[in-house]
Amino acid sequence: MTGENIDEIEKLSSSAESSKEPKTSKVVETPTVNTKNKRKGKKIVEVVEAKGGKKKKTSSAWDHFKAIDGDKEHAECIYCARKISCASANGTNAMKRHTERCKKAPFNLEKTQTILDFKSKTKCKADGNIETVSVPKLSHFDQEKIREALAKMVVLDELPFSFVEREGFRMFCKIAIPDFIPPSRTSITRDCYALFIEKMRTLKNFFKNLSSRVCLTTDTWTSAQNLSYMCLTAHFIDDTWKLHKMIINFCPIAGHSGELIGRAVEKCLLEWGLKRILTVTVDNASSNDLAVKYLKQIVNLWDGSVLDAQFLHMRCAAHILNLVVKDGLKDVDNSVMKVRAAVKYVRSSPARLQKFRSCIEEENINNKSLVCLDIETRWNSTYCMLKSALVFRKAFKNMKTKCIPYTKELRKVGGPPDDEDWDKVTAFLPFLEIFYEATLSFSGSRYVTGNNFVEEIFDIGYTINRYLDDSNVGLKSMARQMKMKFDKYWANVNNVNVLMFIALVLDPRHKLRYVEWIVRRSYDPSNSFALCHRIKETLTSLFEFYASSQPPASQMKSSSIESSGHGDGGIRKLKGTNLRKDFVNEVELFDTSETTELDKYLGDKCVRETDDFDILSWWSMQTMNYPILMRMARDVLAISVSTVASESAFSTGGRVLDSFRTSLTPRLVEALICTQDWIRASHNTIVVEENLLALENMEEG
C-alpha cells in the first residue's frame, strides 16, 4: 500500500463523516499488491448506504481503480490517476484495457524501464535569490542487476546465504524495492558462484595480455573442517604502473609436504596460464624449501624464466623477524606473563574494569584508551599490549595495594608486576618498537616493499649490534639471543637473495653506492667484498637478460615492412641488409666499451628525497630515458617480502568457515574468498568486533 493511497483513504473517510446528507456514501479501500509474484493486487471498494446496506464492486477491474465522489460515470486509476468510463451501459471493459497498458502500474514495468521521479534542487536566480525547484530524476529497475548487487553484498560482508530468507531483509526489500523478488538461499548461492566464474574468466583473459612478470606468495592453513588449504597470491605491476595483489587460488591440499605444495602451485599456474614467474615468497618451514625446489625445476621448463630461476626462492621477512623477536623475549617472559595476567584480570568483567578505572582517576592519568590483551603466539600484539599497559603503570600499582582479589588472583603467576617488571618492559619496549615498525612495513601488499627490505633488515642488525654493548644486562642478554637468530639467516652472504639488493639499486634515491655502503657497514671486509661483487654481477646479468628479451626498434620496423608483402615497386630487399642491421644492433647492445643504459642510470644523480616520492610514478615516466631498466624495475619492484597477503586470506577463511558453516564445500569456500578479494574496493580488514570505547561513550550519551 502506498502513501498516496493511505492519504486518499483518510481524505474520503473524513469527508464522509463530516457530511450531513441522508444518503451519503463512505468509501473504504484496503489495497494489497503482491509484488512477490507480480500478480495484480486486490482493492475492495465498499459503498455503505445510509440505510445500512452494503454493496461490493465484484469486477476485478476495481482492483486497480477507485470510485470518484460525485461522478458515477467514471473511475480513477490508482496508478496514473486517469479517469476511465465505468458507466453501467459499457461495463468495466474500458477499465480492464487501461489496466493492461497503464505504464505506471508496477506489474507493467519492464526490467529496464525508466521510472520518472522528481527531486528538489536549489537554484540561484538572476537577482541572487535562492529558490527550490523540482527536477526530474531518472532511475532504472533491473531485477538482474539488483540480484548481482545482492550477491556482491553477501560475498563482501561475509553474510550467510540464509540471510536473503530472513524476515528483516524481506521486510526491507518490500519497503525499499517493492518490485524486487528476493531470491532463495539456493538461488543466491548460485549467483555468488556465477559471479566467481565470471570474474575468474575476466582475470584469466587479463593475464593472457599481461606483459610483466608475476611474483607469488603462498602459505597453508588448516580449517575448522580439519582440511588443509593452500592460498596462492599473485603480485604484479600492470602497464599503467599500478601494483596489484590478488588471490588466484584457495584450494584444499592433501597435506603440508613440499611436493604436494609444489604440485598444487604448478596446477594453479597452469590453470591460470601464468608461466612468467620471478619469485615465490614462503615462510621458513622446511617443506616450503622442497616446494620451491620443485617449482624451480618446473619454471625452468617454461618460457620466461629469469636467469634459470636462481632467485625464485624468497623467504618471508616478517616470519624471520618473528623468530628473532621470540628468541629475544625469552629472558623477559616472566615479566611479560605478569603484565599479561594483570591486563587479563581488569578486562575479565565490567566490575573489575570499573575498579581499574577508579584507580586511573585516583592517579590522574589523562588517557581515554584502554589496555588491550594480546595473542600469545603473536609478538606484535604483545608489543601493543605492553605499550598500552605501560601508560597505566601507576594504576596497576594502585590496584596492587587496594584490590585484594587482584593480588590474590595474580599469585598464580608469581604475583602482580612489580617495579622490576615494569622497568624491564620500559627498557626493551623501544627496542621492540623497531621490529614492530619493520614488520608493519614488510606486511604491506598495496605498496612497494622490496626497495625498503635491505634498509629495514640491516638497520635492525645494526641496532642489535649496538645493544650488545649496552650497560643494561637484560638488554644485552636479549640482544645476544637475537643476534644468534639474525645471523642464522643473514650472516652467510651466499644465502641472501640478491634481488632484494637489486630492488634498492632500482630506487633512484639510493642506487648502487648506497647499497655498497650498507654492505660494508654490515659485514667484514671479506664478506662485504664478495657480496658487493655478487650484486654487481647479478645486476649486469639481469640487465643483459632484459635487453636481449626486448626486440630492437629497427627489427620491429623491418618485420612490419616484410609483413606487408613486397617493398617499393614490388622489389624484395636483400637479406644481407637485414643481417648487417642485426649485427650492428647486437654490437651496440653488448659492446661494453660504450656506455650502456645501466651505466647511464648509475652515473646520473640520485633523485632528491621527498615525503611524497612515489617510486612507481617515477619509473612510469622513464620510457625514453631507461626503457630496458623500466621493464626490469616493473618486475623486481613487484616482489613481496612477506606472506602476509596470503595469511590474511586465512582470517577471511576463518570467518567464512565458522562453526555454523563447516558444511560448505571447498570449491564454494574458494569462490567466496577469491571473489571477495577481487571485487572489494577498499581492501580494508573487516572489523568483526565492536569498538568497546565507542559503545561505552554512546551508552553514557
Side-chain angles (χ1 to χ4, degrees):
M1 182 184 295
T2 64
E4 293 179 355
N5 290 336
I6 295 175
D7 293 339
E8 187 67 17
I9 292 173
E10 293 177 350
K11 181 179 178 181
L12 292 173
S13 300
S14 60
S15 63
E17 291 175 357
S18 62
S19 177
K20 295 182 180 180
E21 294 294 330
K23 292 187 178 180
T24 54
S25 300
K26 179 181 179 182
V27 181
V28 181
E29 299 176 10
T30 57
T32 59
V33 180
N34 189 340
T35 57
K36 180 177 180 181
N37 299 316
K38 289 192 173 180
R39 293 198 301 263
K40 301 173 184 178
K42 295 181 179 180
K43 184 182 295 290
I44 302 174
V45 181
E46 299 178 347
V47 180
V48 183
E49 302 291 344
K51 294 181 179 180
K54 186 180 290 186
K55 183 180 179 181
K56 290 185 178 181
K57 304 286 189 179
T58 57
S59 174
S60 61
W62 287 103
D63 296 346
H64 314 286
F65 283 83
K66 63 183 178 181
I68 302 175
D69 190 20
D71 186 357
K72 297 182 179 181
E73 300 294 325
H74 296 86
E76 183 179 323
C77 176
I78 64 174
Y79 307 115
C80 66
R82 185 175 177 181
K83 295 180 180 180
I84 304 297
S85 173
C86 63
S88 58
N90 300 325
T92 58
N93 291 331
M95 297 165 60
K96 292 180 178 178
R97 288 195 297 269
H98 173 79
T99 302
E100 293 176 354
R101 61 175 181 267
C102 180
K103 294 183 178 180
K104 291 191 176 181
F107 42 79
N108 287 335
L109 290 176
E110 297 179 1
K111 289 184 178 181
T112 57
Q113 174 113 11
T114 300
I115 303 173
L116 181 61
D117 195 2
F118 291 89
K119 62 180 178 180
S120 298
K121 184 178 181 181
T122 57
K123 179 181 179 182
C124 183
K125 299 169 65 176
D127 57 2
N129 295 326
I130 304 296
E131 66 173 351
T132 302
V133 296
S134 295
V135 295
K137 179 176 65 175
L138 299 179
S139 60
H140 293 274
F141 172 78
D142 192 323
Q143 175 81 12
E144 298 303 323
K145 286 188 177 180
I146 297 176
R147 281 272 293 267
E148 181 182 352
L150 178 59
K152 290 181 179 179
M153 183 179 75
V154 170
V155 172
L156 286 173
D157 295 338
E158 299 170 4
L159 300 171
F161 297 127
S162 60
F163 171 79
V164 297
E165 294 182 348
R166 292 177 180 174
E167 183 179 359
F169 174 72
R170 301 223 163 202
M171 184 184 298
F172 170 80
C173 290
K174 186 176 181 180
I175 301 299
I177 322 172
D179 299 318
F180 176 62
I181 306 174
S184 65
R185 69 173 69 188
T186 304
S187 298
I188 199 63
T189 304
R190 293 196 189 101
D191 290 349
C192 292
Y193 192 77
L195 183 64
F196 164 69
I197 296 298
E198 176 192 352
K199 296 299 180 182
M200 182 171 61
R201 187 182 299 112
T202 302
L203 288 174
K204 285 183 178 181
N205 291 333
F206 170 81
F207 280 123
K208 286 181 180 179
N209 301 318
L210 183 66
S211 58
S212 60
R213 284 176 171 78
V214 174
C215 301
L216 303 174
T217 60
T218 184
D219 206 350
T220 56
W221 170 68
T222 302
S223 70
Q225 302 167 308
N226 203 26
L227 290 177
S228 297
Y229 283 87
M230 183 201 71
C231 179
L232 188 64
T233 309
H235 305 256
F236 59 92
I237 299 173
D238 63 16
D239 294 336
T240 62
W241 283 87
K242 182 179 179 181
L243 179 64
H244 294 270
K245 183 275 302 183
M246 62 177 61
I247 300 172
I248 59 174
N249 190 260
F250 194 93
C251 64
I253 55 176
H256 295 274
S257 68
E259 185 177 357
L260 288 174
I261 296 173
R263 290 186 182 277
V265 174
E266 177 193 7
K267 180 181 177 181
C268 175
L269 295 178
L270 290 174
E271 180 184 356
W272 281 80
L274 294 174
K275 295 184 177 181
R276 292 160 50 85
I277 308 300
L278 182 61
T279 59
V280 179
T281 304
V282 294
D283 65 23
N284 200 44
S286 58
S287 59
N288 287 327
D289 295 343
L290 297 175
V292 176
K293 185 177 180 181
Y294 173 83
L295 287 173
K296 186 179 293 186
Q297 299 174 353
I298 300 301
V299 171
N300 280 328
L301 297 177
W302 297 341
D303 294 333
S305 65
V306 179
L307 302 180
D308 298 327
Q310 56 180 306
F311 306 110
L312 186 70
H313 191 182
M314 180 69 61
R315 296 185 185 275
C316 175
H319 183 260
I320 295 176
L321 286 184
N322 183 47
L323 298 177
V324 173
V325 174
K326 281 186 174 181
D327 277 16
L329 288 177
K330 289 179 180 179
D331 291 340
V332 292
D333 271 351
N334 190 46
S335 298
V336 173
M337 184 173 57
K338 289 182 179 181
V339 175
R340 181 183 295 119
V343 173
K344 186 176 182 180
Y345 177 87
V346 300
R347 293 303 301 263
S348 59
S349 72
R352 292 177 175 180
L353 185 60
Q354 187 59 39
K355 180 64 178 178
F356 182 66
R357 282 178 170 171
S358 65
C359 293
I360 293 175
E361 293 177 0
E362 290 177 8
E363 297 296 335
N364 295 320
I365 300 175
N366 187 18
N367 195 304
K368 295 183 179 180
S369 63
L370 293 174
V371 289
C372 59
L373 191 62
D374 70 331
I375 301 173
E376 296 185 29
T377 56
R378 298 182 181 179
W379 72 266
N380 51 347
S381 69
T382 302
Y383 164 79
C384 294
M385 179 196 70
L386 296 174
K387 185 178 180 181
S388 65
L390 196 59
V391 177
F392 303 101
R393 174 177 178 173
K394 293 182 179 179
F396 280 109
K397 193 173 182 179
N398 195 339
M399 286 276 291
K400 182 179 178 180
T401 58
K402 293 186 177 181
C403 186
I404 297 177
Y406 168 76
T407 305
K408 185 177 180 180
E409 179 74 19
L410 266 66
R411 286 175 184 170
K412 300 176 182 178
V413 293
D418 53 22
D419 288 338
E420 182 181 356
D421 296 318
W422 288 114
D423 289 341
K424 284 184 178 181
V425 171
T426 304
F428 75 75
L429 202 62
F431 187 28
L432 209 60
E433 186 175 7
I434 300 173
F435 289 86
Y436 179 76
E437 296 294 338
T439 302
L440 289 182
S441 176
F442 293 155
S443 301
S445 59
R446 298 292 164 183
Y447 55 85
V448 176
T449 58
N451 62 323
N452 296 324
F453 174 85
V454 171
E455 273 191 298
E456 296 282 359
I457 287 296
F458 286 96
D459 185 54
I460 288 175
Y462 177 77
T463 305
I464 291 174
N465 290 332
R466 190 178 62 187
Y467 274 99
L468 288 174
D469 300 326
D470 196 270
S471 57
N472 189 310
V473 179
L475 285 177
K476 183 184 294 186
S477 175
M478 181 192 301
R480 190 181 302 112
Q481 296 292 333
M482 290 182 172
K483 175 69 173 175
M484 293 174 61
K485 183 67 71 173
F486 185 90
D487 288 346
K488 178 180 178 181
Y489 295 99
W490 288 298
N492 189 342
V493 295
N494 295 319
N495 293 335
V496 177
N497 193 322
V498 183
L499 281 186
M500 289 296 90
F501 294 92
I502 304 299
L504 185 56
V505 172
L506 293 174
D507 190 329
R509 298 169 296 178
H510 308 306
K511 300 187 179 181
L512 184 59
R513 289 182 61 185
Y514 182 52
V515 172
E516 292 177 331
W517 183 84
I518 290 177
V519 172
R520 287 195 298 269
R521 289 286 299 268
S522 304
Y523 294 96
D524 59 73
S526 176
N527 282 322
S528 62
F529 176 81
L531 183 55
C532 286
H533 177 73
R534 187 173 169 223
I535 292 171
K536 291 179 181 178
E537 191 177 55
T538 303
L539 181 62
T540 303
S541 300
L542 200 61
F543 174 77
E544 291 176 352
F545 172 83
Y546 276 87
S548 62
S549 63
Q550 175 177 265
S554 58
Q555 286 186 1
M556 295 174 64
K557 291 180 181 178
S558 107
S559 63
S560 63
I561 294 174
E562 290 178 1
S563 63
S564 62
H566 299 285
D568 297 336
I571 302 175
R572 192 171 183 179
K573 292 185 178 181
L574 296 176
K575 291 185 178 180
T577 306
N578 292 328
L579 288 173
R580 192 177 301 112
K581 287 183 178 180
D582 290 345
F583 170 75
V584 172
N585 290 328
E586 185 173 336
V587 170
E588 292 177 352
L589 189 63
F590 297 106
D591 189 0
T592 57
S593 61
E594 296 185 8
T595 302
T596 64
E597 182 183 309
L598 177 60
D599 296 330
K600 181 178 180 301
Y601 169 76
L602 297 177
D604 290 344
K605 290 184 178 180
C606 294
V607 176
R608 187 179 297 274
E609 182 81 40
T610 58
D611 293 336
D612 58 347
F613 177 78
D614 187 345
I615 189 171
L616 295 184
S617 297
W618 188 88
W619 274 108
S620 67
M621 297 183 291
Q622 305 306 315
T623 307
M624 300 300 297
N625 297 328
Y626 315 114
I628 300 174
L629 282 174
M630 187 181 72
R631 294 190 304 111
M632 179 172 149
R634 188 173 59 176
D635 291 346
V636 174
L637 294 178
I639 298 174
S640 177
V641 299
S642 75
T643 60
V644 173
S646 295
E647 292 174 3
S648 62
F650 302 143
S651 299
T652 304
R655 295 192 300 269
V656 171
L657 279 173
D658 58 18
S659 57
F660 300 100
R661 307 178 74 189
T662 54
S663 60
L664 289 177
T665 63
R667 189 61 173 167
L668 199 53
V669 171
E670 179 185 20
L672 292 173
I673 293 176
C674 291
T675 308
Q676 184 193 82
D677 182 73
W678 298 339
I679 67 177
R680 182 183 292 173
S682 63
H683 295 282
N684 294 327
T685 303
I686 293 179
V687 179
V688 295
E689 297 179 354
E690 294 284 359
N691 187 318
L692 295 179
L693 183 60
L695 289 177
E696 291 169 359
N697 292 336
M698 284 189 288
E699 289 178 359
E700 293 175 359

